[in-house]
Amino acid sequence: FENAHELRLTPWNNDPLSDTGGEACYIRDEETGHFWSPTPLPARGINPYVCRHGFGYSVFEHTEDGISSELWTYVAPNAAVKFTVLKLRNESGRPRRLSATAYAEWVLGDLRPKTAMHITSVINPANGALYLRNPYSLEFADRVAFFQTDDLDYTFTCDRTEFIGRNGTLRDPAAMRRAHLSGKTGAALDPCSAIQVPFDLPDGQEHEIIFRLGAGQNVGDADTLVRRFSG
């Protein structure tokens, strides 16, 4: 946001071999606990994936355990907002109880090890968005990053340690073995944002969930962006 080096929102690692990232998405069967990612990483499913890239967007297609998914990702052309659109269809022949979880680690500076200890998080009760700031930034202390979904029934956390677990990884995070997220926000956390949305999906029906990640000049600008792109 504004400065590609001094104000990175999420991590970027110049390492094509390990191919690590700071964002992830998960689908979980709430009855069995089985979970997988709609993308090939970090929690690869059993069946093959189809990845399609166009001008300004990417699509990841996958079918797992009778659930067909499409994950679309793109950014607004005139605002610092990234969309992750998850479309699910139940082809299993029976009603399903599922959840979708989106996760992002935060930098809000140049390097995460330097900034993580300073990032604070809150939930805005007016719009349900998670707001994050780095008040110790010399140039960008007023900037506000956000993570948000339109769904009203969700749980969240801004504690990466809670989400991944002790010595855990994004391939098998501790949060996928819990019923819901804790709702923790504040300072002195290992900062992330995770939103989990549970839902019922009848046989043959489709469901769409949209997650938005972005940043504004200040709290008011972030409010405006969340309001503008909601729905």
Side-chain angles (χ1 to χ4, degrees):
F1 180 53
E2 295 185 298
N3 188 310
H5 185 271
E6 299 298 324
L7 192 55
R8 293 173 180 158
L9 299 184
T10 57
W12 176 73
N13 299 297
N14 189 16
D15 186 350
L17 296 181
S18 63
D19 197 19
T20 55
E23 299 178 55
C25 191
Y26 304 90
I27 302 166
R28 183 173 68 182
D29 187 319
E30 295 297 288
E31 297 173 346
T32 66
H34 175 54
F35 70 92
W36 65 94
S37 291
T39 52
L41 291 176
R44 186 187 298 268
I46 297 174
N47 296 318
Y49 288 78
V50 175
C51 309
R52 296 186 285 114
H53 308 286
F55 289 103
Y57 70 92
S58 292
V59 187
F60 303 87
E61 301 176 357
H62 181 66
T63 299
E64 184 90 2
D65 197 22
I67 301 298
S68 176
S69 65
E70 283 187 7
L71 186 144
W72 292 67
T73 182
Y74 47 85
V75 299
N78 56 356
V81 180
K82 175 183 177 179
F83 298 83
T84 300
V85 181
L86 182 61
K87 303 178 181 181
L88 300 169
R89 181 176 178 83
N90 183 359
E91 300 174 347
S92 65
R94 59 185 176 86
R96 304 291 289 274
R97 178 67 174 169
L98 306 170
S99 69
T101 304
Y103 166 91
E105 297 174 8
W106 295 102
V107 179
L108 303 188
D110 56 347
L111 296 172
R112 179 176 166 85
K114 290 169 54 178
T115 62
M117 68 187 77
H118 302 307
I119 294 174
T120 63
S121 56
V122 299
I123 183 169
N124 186 329
N127 56 27
L130 298 172
Y131 283 6
L132 299 101
R133 289 180 56 205
N134 178 7
Y136 283 81
S137 171
L138 295 178
E139 300 289 337
F140 305 106
D142 293 335
R143 306 303 186 262
V144 176
F146 61 85
F147 204 49
Q148 182 251 353
T149 186
D150 289 330
D151 290 75
L152 300 178
D153 181 18
Y154 66 88
T155 60
F156 65 89
T157 185
C158 290
D159 185 0
R160 178 176 175 270
T161 302
E162 171 200 333
F163 189 88
I164 293 181
R166 183 178 177 86
N167 300 323
T169 66
L170 289 178
R171 182 178 180 180
D172 184 22
M176 289 295 102
R177 296 188 293 275
R178 300 193 187 103
H180 51 76
L181 304 178
S182 69
K184 183 184 292 185
T185 62
L189 301 175
D190 187 0
C192 79
S193 287
I195 296 177
Q196 187 172 92
V197 181
F199 58 94
D200 293 310
L201 189 58
D203 180 42
Q205 298 298 306
E206 296 182 352
H207 188 71
E208 180 179 277
I209 299 173
I210 303 174
F211 299 98
R212 299 177 193 83
L213 182 154
Q217 297 280 342
N218 47 48
V219 173
D221 190 30
D223 286 343
T224 299
L225 288 171
V226 171
R227 184 168 59 253
R228 174 182 170 191
F229 290 103
S230 291

